[in-house]
Amino acid sequence: MITADRVLVVVGLAIVLLALSSRLVKRHALSPVVLALAAGVLVGPHALAVLDPTTVVPRGELLEQTARVALALAVFDITLRVGPRDLLANRRRIAVLLLVVMPGMWLITALGANLLLGLPLGLALLLGAALTPTDPAAASSLVTGVLPDQSLPRRVRASLQVESAANDGLALPFVLLAGLLVSVPIGDAVGPWLLDAGRQVGIALAVGTAVGLVMRWLTDLAGVDRLAEEDWFPLASTGVALSVLGLAHLLGGTGVLAAFAAGLTFSEGLPEGTRKPIHVVHRSVAKVSLVVVFLVFGTVLPVDQWWPELGWGGVLFALWVLLLRRFPVTFPALLATGTGRLSSGFMAWSGPLGVAGIYYLAFAETLHVPQYETLFAAGSLAVTVSIVGQALSASPAVHGYRRRTGQVAPEGEELEIEGRLP
């Protein structure tokens, strides 16, 4: 059974331990995401049986709602990190990552699901779509901090962060199309899909942009010296992210994409004296939501089903997703933008799964497709392997990039490399 007190104890202890050991965790090439996931497995029904949230809330609803809140906060966090100059400086890379790499990752993942798991084409495409978006929270944790700031050029870090923030909402059309193809011939699916996807994306962009502009105007109007107190003022961004998430969904749009659009318009031109305190508070709130999502995910992982349900096919599929989902299409695509081989290789590897994958796996249950439990088992295994693999390889990859360039920024500053990225 689950009780409110048990939830408070587990979540509270997890936040305290991660907060007090965050620098030590990164120093030893670990990840708060991995530790939160492991804690969830430990306290869940497959180990200590302290918590079993599914006795109170259905698994799909629990994962979908917690993940979408965390995603909205995470993508808004990225918009507070990057600015218009980052979008302009990386426009070609970002366009390629979203328009070429994203469909490529979808099809490569679907191919693996079809070949290794034996899923029918429609289900394979649905699983591939759910595992297409890179994770904004995990991507930010891999390319932020003292070591990445000093070792990775800002353009590399910004490209990965913007990609991960944008593709979370843009993955929805792929999921909707694949869901239709499970039961409807492609000729009959394209028309309804275009209308539905266009409506959801259009509403998200319109609502997000409008809300971001209005909230930015209100923020400027209030000011920390006029209407807002200093300790309340930094909470503005969290309120914007949550309100636009709900409003876009109520109006029929995709809330995560709306949060990204709102973040861009809210943060553009924000004075540094205002941006910094808002970002510090927002980043902390986003990290709390991240811990909650991975704790919950750990408790509902179908660990006992992975081998009986999937066998060696599941293991090979998880490795396929980790090793082949991204690199084969991303590396040549980035080279074509004029990005150097070292930076192209680093970005081609750094595409972790995470909260976005969890969200779309849960969302797929609402489509009422056959063999959903097989799809969820395979997807959850792939997400777990990706999280662990990316976390373990992140620090060595950054150190390797640093050694190859031989350039390091002074502590407290960000590395900038003039001209073409290496």
Side-chain angles (χ1 to χ4, degrees), residues 13 15 94 170 238 255 339 366 381 410:
L13 285 176
I15 293 172
I94 292 170
L170 293 175
T238 301
T339 306
T366 66
L381 177 58

Side-chain angles (χ1 to χ4, degrees), residues 201-213 243-245 247-249 251 258 261-262:
V201 171
I203 290 173
L205 293 176
V207 171
T209 301
V211 171
L213 288 172
S243 60
V244 77
L245 174 69
L247 180 60
H249 192 260
L251 296 176

Side-chain angles (χ1 to χ4, degrees), residues 72-395:
L73 293 172
V75 300
F76 208 98
D77 173 58
I78 287 177
T79 63
L80 291 169
R81 294 178 186 272
V82 301
R85 72 182 181 97
D86 295 302
L87 299 178
L88 183 63
N90 299 286
R91 60 190 181 279
R92 292 182 63 192
R93 270 184 295 276
I94 292 170
V96 164
L97 288 169
L98 295 177
L99 300 178
V100 177
V101 171
M102 196 174 172
M105 290 194 296
W106 175 33
L107 297 178
I108 289 173
T109 307
L111 177 63
N114 179 256
L115 294 177
L116 300 172
L117 300 174
L119 292 178
L121 180 60
L123 284 177
L125 287 170
L126 180 56
L127 180 56
L131 300 181
T132 290
T134 54
D135 184 70
S140 283
S141 67
L142 295 179
V143 295
T144 57
V146 176
L147 178 62
D149 285 353
Q150 291 182 284
S151 308
L152 300 176
R154 183 182 176 92
R155 283 177 289 166
V156 169
R157 293 183 288 109
S159 295
L160 290 172
Q161 290 176 312
V162 173
E163 177 204 9
S164 63
N167 66 19
D168 289 336
L170 293 175
L172 181 62
F174 297 108
V175 174
L176 294 175
L177 177 59
L180 284 173
L181 292 177
V182 171
S183 56
V184 178
I186 188 168
D188 298 331
V190 172
W193 169 71
L194 286 174
L195 288 175
D196 193 22
R199 175 182 59 81
Q200 293 207 38
V201 171
I203 290 173
L205 293 176
V207 171
T209 301
V211 171
L213 288 172
V214 171
M215 294 299 185
R216 170 61 194 281
W217 175 76
L218 290 175
T219 301
D220 290 340
L221 178 66
V224 74
D225 296 325
R226 293 188 292 275
L227 302 179
E229 291 185 340
E230 185 176 353
D231 52 350
W232 277 96
F233 188 73
L235 290 170
S237 64
T238 301
V240 176
L242 294 178
S243 60
V244 77
L245 174 69
L247 180 60
H249 192 260
L250 286 172
L251 296 176
T254 167
V256 176
L257 184 59
F260 178 60
L264 289 176
T265 53
F266 176 82
S267 62
E268 183 177 358
L270 203 63
E272 187 60 26
T274 303
R275 177 193 297 266
K276 187 173 181 179
I278 287 179
H279 188 206
V280 169
V281 172
H282 186 94
R283 185 171 55 201
S284 298
V285 175
K287 287 181 177 180
V288 170
S289 71
L290 184 67
V291 171
V292 171
V293 169
F294 282 101
L295 275 171
V296 169
F297 186 55
T299 64
V300 302
L301 279 178
V303 177
D304 57 342
Q305 297 177 25
W306 282 343
W307 183 256
E309 184 78 28
L310 306 172
W312 282 110
V315 175
L316 293 174
F317 175 70
L319 293 175
W320 174 289
V321 171
L322 176 65
L323 301 175
L324 299 178
R325 155 183 165 268
R326 181 174 174 86
F327 198 95
V329 64
T330 309
F331 184 68
L334 287 175
L335 286 179
T337 67
T339 306
R341 295 179 65 85
L342 179 61
S343 298
S344 295
F346 182 87
M347 286 190 279
W349 172 249
S350 303
L353 290 168
V355 181
I358 295 170
Y359 171 73
Y360 283 113
L361 284 174
F363 178 82
E365 187 172 7
T366 66
L367 303 177
H368 306 293
V369 297
Q371 295 182 261
Y372 175 74
E373 287 305 319
T374 300
L375 186 146
F376 182 79
S380 62
L381 177 58
V383 170
T384 302
V385 170
S386 175
I387 290 170
V388 175
Q390 289 281 337
L392 293 177
S393 64
S395 184

